[in-house]
Amino acid sequence: MSVRPDVDVLLRTGPFHEALRAAIERSGLTLERLRERLARRGIHVSLATLSYWRLGRSRPERADSLRAVQAIEAILGLPRHSLEFLLGPPRPRGRWAARRRATGRYGSMLQPAQSLAETVDALVGPSDGNLRLWCQDDSVSVGGCGAIRRIHTRQVLLAVDGHPDRHLAVYCADPGTDPDAIVPEAVENCRLGRVRRHPRAPVIAVELLFDHALRAGQTHLLEYAFTVADGTEAVDYRRAFRYPVGSYVLSVRFTEPRLPVRCFALSQHDDGPVERGTDLVLAPGRLVHLTAKDVPRGVLGIGWEWT
């Protein structure tokens, strides 16, 4: 007789419906009791919908359904975003719906939105929806002239479905930067595939190819970088997350003589406004950083003032 994976394993490997089923069984709650607990929180989901989610016949996609998933995580005592992390992109409705929706997720949080969507569209493939970001570390270098010179990224990716064999990296430089001045580099455990630059805007999308396709539940660690040969003055660096991520570290190092007088955190929840957060300390080594856990869909970053 085969042994079913336990809840903790399924929360790492998926699929969503099996992790949900196992978590409900472990809690001892019936679907009716779970529905009642949700209703107490002002979230109304039918018994049939919960059953379909548990059986894999449908999955949460709309905003109110995703709020229900977040509430279920709390009711069942699961880590924040653990179930939401396993959800793939919205299922296609119409021939080109999947591609448009995936591209829209890129363009809805960063600017220039239209140029970003136009650049990414040609490179979005099946692997894009089958990977989730487990953790990420961004190291940004700002030159003495005030322009961002290099962004080095270290990621751990998790395969949640299919057999993904590549990851799409995207960077939007500061306005006025020549698109050809942005140079991608595959640093560790990946190699460059197709590279697409927008003809007018400083936007680039790059395929990072793996040496082998991943199985569901496997993780992949890689490093890549973007170097900007002749950028314009920057006042922030922002990273967009299309899906929840477990942890994120961002550091920005400044080069004398151009040092900022103030640094602060930036955040944007989903498609809402960008909000300025707490002030950040610029260390003696001219380094400022922020850390975050259980990061939801949205944008995190560091901003600074030169005068």
Side-chain angles (χ1 to χ4, degrees):
M1 178 182 295
S2 61
V3 179
R4 287 180 172 178
D6 63 22
V7 178
D8 294 333
V9 172
L10 287 169
L11 289 175
R12 294 194 301 269
T13 65
F16 169 82
H17 71 278
E18 291 190 11
L20 175 62
R21 172 196 52 74
I24 293 173
E25 289 180 357
R26 185 175 70 176
S27 73
L29 293 177
T30 63
L31 285 185
E32 178 61 32
R33 290 297 303 277
L34 179 59
R35 186 191 67 80
E36 292 174 357
R37 295 276 188 94
L38 288 169
R40 292 176 195 169
R41 295 168 177 253
I43 299 173
H44 300 282
V45 182
S46 71
L47 202 59
T49 296
L50 289 174
S51 179
Y52 285 167
W53 290 353
R54 184 183 62 174
L55 296 172
R57 295 181 181 176
S58 66
R59 63 184 174 186
E61 293 183 355
R62 295 179 301 181
D64 54 350
S65 296
L66 295 178
R67 285 194 293 272
V69 171
Q70 294 168 2
I72 289 171
E73 292 169 348
I75 292 169
L76 300 182
L78 303 176
R80 290 181 61 196
H81 307 300
S82 55
L83 285 174
E84 188 181 2
F85 185 85
L86 298 173
L87 290 170
R91 288 177 178 173
R93 291 179 174 85
R95 184 178 180 186
W96 302 108
R99 169 177 275 186
R100 285 199 302 270
R101 289 190 178 193
T103 303
R105 284 178 176 265
Y106 277 100
S108 62
M109 292 182 287
L110 293 177
Q111 299 296 328
Q114 183 59 37
S115 299
L116 179 55
E118 292 171 357
T119 306
V120 170
D121 181 63
L123 298 187
V124 172
S127 290
D128 185 69
N130 294 331
L131 287 169
R132 292 293 176 274
L133 186 57
W134 188 263
C135 61
Q136 178 163 316
D137 184 319
D138 283 336
S139 300
V140 180
S141 300
V142 179
C145 63
I148 290 177
R149 292 302 191 195
R150 181 176 172 85
I151 306 97
H152 182 279
T153 297
R154 191 171 191 259
Q155 295 179 328
V156 176
L157 300 163
L158 171 70
V160 296
D161 200 1
H163 296 85
D165 62 357
R166 65 198 64 200
H167 174 60
L168 188 60
V170 179
Y171 178 58
C172 301
D174 290 286
T177 301
D178 185 344
D180 291 330
I182 308 170
V183 180
E185 178 187 357
V187 177
E188 187 74 36
N189 215 20
C190 60
R191 64 186 189 281
L192 292 181
R194 293 177 294 172
V195 177
R196 182 177 175 87
R197 291 180 173 84
H198 194 276
R200 296 172 300 279
V203 178
I204 186 172
V206 180
E207 280 185 328
L208 300 172
L209 307 179
F210 310 156
D211 289 333
H212 62 280
L214 305 180
R215 300 188 308 273
Q218 281 190 308
T219 56
H220 189 76
L221 186 150
L222 58 80
E223 298 181 31
Y224 65 90
F226 289 108
T227 301
V228 185
D230 188 21
T232 59
E233 183 181 86
V235 293
D236 61 42
Y237 175 81
R238 306 180 189 185
R239 168 66 72 168
F241 298 101
R242 298 180 299 132
Y243 302 105
V245 58
S247 64
Y248 178 56
V249 179
L250 168 60
S251 61
V252 180
R253 184 180 297 277
F254 297 91
T255 303
E256 291 183 309
R258 195 78 187 275
L259 299 179
V261 298
R262 185 175 293 106
C263 299
F264 47 88
L266 294 173
S267 64
Q268 179 183 7
H269 300 293
D270 210 337
D271 297 327
V274 177
E275 299 178 357
R276 176 168 170 167
T278 58
D279 284 356
L280 302 173
V281 176
L282 184 64
R286 306 181 303 280
L287 185 75
V288 64
H289 80 282
L290 63 78
T291 62
K293 291 185 64 177
D294 298 324
V295 182
R297 167 179 153 83
V299 173
L300 285 180
I302 293 177
W304 52 87
E305 297 175 358
W306 292 115
T307 58

